[in-house]
Amino acid sequence: IQMEVLAELLSMLGREQEGRSWLDERCILIERIKQRFYSATDLCFFDRNRRTGAFVQVRTPASFLPLLLPEFSTLAQEMIRQHLLNPAAFFGDVPFPCVAYNDPRHKPEAWWRGPTWPPIVWFMLEVLERHGFMQDAYQARKKFLHVIQRDALFHELFNASTGEGLGALQQGWTAAVFLHLLRRQKAFSASC
């Protein structure tokens, strides 16, 4: 996404050739991401162990970030349905934990092992909306807005099982995500 924006900015500056080279690099990178990190067997993107090359089969929101790119839209529908919208994995009462609920390594309040982080929720909602899952995005926003409103202290992150606020209080990104989600929720309701 950054390469695409950079190419557009370079074009605006009259540096079209340099912009095209960034777009060419972007195409190469997209193909590498698919070849290196996508598991067709698991219908998921995974990190790889640098020493062994094996997939690190931990489902996290990072598994879905490539779906922000239109080039992966053919993979998106089934991936989203099977994993991201699965209540046992990511679509629970506190949506989009940083490690899937059904992963044995999930710990709902251990940093980067299970809590829900507001910026991650925002990215996952973007994935849903870009692929037409508008009603599901509405439901996830509703759930997460409830978590933030119940907390009322704008915590940095939230226990993925209980919704209890964790980390720093009055976190700027939580407030920003809250305002964005509230605005999107109102816009969605008005369009129905």
Side-chain angles (χ1 to χ4, degrees):
I1 293 170
Q2 290 172 339
M3 294 169 128
E4 191 175 342
V5 170
L6 183 58
E8 185 178 338
L9 290 172
L10 287 166
S11 178
M12 293 167 137
L13 294 171
R15 296 163 55 184
E16 286 84 10
Q17 182 60 33
E18 194 176 349
R20 279 192 292 281
S21 70
W22 277 106
L23 291 176
D24 292 343
E25 285 296 315
R26 180 182 180 280
C27 290
I28 293 167
L29 181 59
I30 286 169
E31 191 55 37
R32 284 184 185 156
I33 289 169
K34 185 173 182 183
Q35 289 175 3
R36 181 110 175 103
F37 300 108
Y38 181 69
S39 168
T41 306
D42 299 295
L43 292 173
C44 209
F45 288 91
F46 292 114
D47 290 338
R48 285 196 180 257
N49 182 304
R50 289 182 64 110
R51 285 191 319 269
T52 67
F55 283 123
V56 178
Q57 292 188 311
V58 178
R59 284 182 180 81
T60 73
S63 300
F64 306 98
L65 288 177
L67 301 181
L68 289 169
L69 301 172
E71 288 83 356
F72 294 118
S73 62
T74 57
L75 305 174
Q77 297 294 313
E78 189 57 33
M79 240 180 109
I80 289 169
R81 281 190 186 96
Q82 186 170 334
H83 303 296
L84 197 57
L85 295 179
N86 180 346
F90 289 99
F91 209 70
D93 290 335
V94 184
F96 314 126
C98 61
V99 172
Y101 293 114
N102 56 2
D103 187 299
R105 292 158 285 218
H106 173 82
K107 294 184 175 88
E109 50 185 64
W111 246 243
W112 297 112
R113 297 292 180 255
T116 296
W117 298 74
I120 300 299
V121 171
W122 179 80
F123 276 120
M124 296 304 98
L125 291 168
E126 285 291 307
V127 166
L128 291 176
E129 289 183 0
R130 287 183 189 202
H131 295 287
F133 291 90
M134 304 308 280
Q135 189 62 43
D136 299 297
Y138 172 82
Q139 291 302 321
R141 277 193 307 272
K142 183 177 176 180
K143 289 178 183 184
F144 197 62
L145 282 167
H146 176 72
V147 168
I148 295 173
Q149 287 170 323
R150 191 178 65 210
D151 172 64
L153 295 172
F154 293 98
H155 272 91
E156 180 179 8
L157 65 156
F158 299 88
N159 179 307
S161 294
T162 66
E164 175 190 356
L166 304 169
L169 298 175
Q170 300 173 357
Q171 185 70 23
W173 68 34
T174 303
V177 168
F178 175 76
L179 291 172
H180 174 75
L181 298 184
L182 196 58
R183 191 174 72 238
R184 293 287 297 140
Q185 203 71 338
K186 286 181 179 180
F188 182 84
S189 295
S191 71
C192 291

